[in-house]
Amino acid sequence: MNSEVEGQTPTAAPTVARKYAHTIKPGFTAVPWGPKDKIAASILKMGTVGAVFSAAFTGGRQQLFDSRPHYGTDSGAYGERVGADYARQSVQAMMNGGMSAILRDDPRYYVLGAGHSFKSRVVYAAERVLITHKDSGGDTANIPLLTGIVASQALANGIYPERDRDWARVATGSLGSIASRMGTQEFKEFGDDIRQYLRHKIKKN
């Protein structure tokens, strides 16, 4: 994938996106990723503030309600929850990057942009969890991401306390992760629109 994807709103002079950007906006040209780049991007992603914050937030929510995984409610339990979620995220990211390298898929999200209907953007963002771009162009099943999701849930099942180990939960957890990822994709698609709307409202007031 070396530029905008089919359907993106074109611009006269595209700007080159950051090499390891995971989201490519309309008007930006993606730097081609080789196998090593895809793995490097996965590693770098897990070193971001967002990845750490996500694990800390998830651990905090689980700690507050003493929900699965049941490590307890003391400070040590919170650390275990954060560590377990970070490990789960890491496995998902590495599997996605590694499988994308093997299958020659492009794991990045290409925003359609405001030049398309609201409905088409909603559908596109959701289906990108199940469908991804090939390096050579066109679409294919998003095996790397789906494999990463299932693998991360299987890891969680293995490291959680005995009472929380249940293979049925691997299936339900995977479905939950897919739904969560769809929500993330929607935010990637409409994030700039939301920020622009909020800036307009604040400026107007």
Side-chain angles (χ1 to χ4, degrees), residues 67-149:
S67 59
R68 181 176 184 261
H70 295 92
Y71 287 117
T73 56
D74 58 12
S75 59
Y78 174 67
E80 288 182 287
R81 285 188 166 103
V82 173
D85 191 74
Y86 188 81
R88 182 189 60 77
Q89 288 187 57
S90 298
V91 168
Q92 181 175 318
M94 291 303 299
M95 285 293 293
N96 191 14
M99 291 294 290
S100 292
I102 293 171
L103 298 177
R104 298 180 181 178
D105 294 339
D106 187 342
R108 292 170 286 193
Y109 181 79
Y110 290 79
V111 179
L112 275 186
H116 297 78
S117 70
F118 175 78
K119 180 180 178 180
S120 65
R121 294 175 70 188
V122 169
V123 172
Y124 169 83
E127 72 179 12
R128 286 297 108 183
V129 176
L130 307 176
I131 302 171
T132 191
H133 303 294
K134 296 186 293 186
D135 288 342
S136 58
D139 291 335
T140 187
N142 200 348
I143 294 175
L145 177 58
L146 297 176
T147 300
I149 287 174

Side-chain angles (χ1 to χ4, degrees), residues 19 22 27 29 106 110 119 170:
K19 181 174 182 179
H22 285 267
T29 298
D106 187 342
Y110 290 79
K119 180 180 178 180
V170 173

Side-chain angles (χ1 to χ4, degrees), residues 32-49:
W33 278 1
K36 292 181 180 179
D37 294 317
K38 294 171 185 178
I39 295 173
S42 298
I43 295 173
L44 291 172
K45 183 178 182 180
M46 293 314 302
T48 63
V49 173

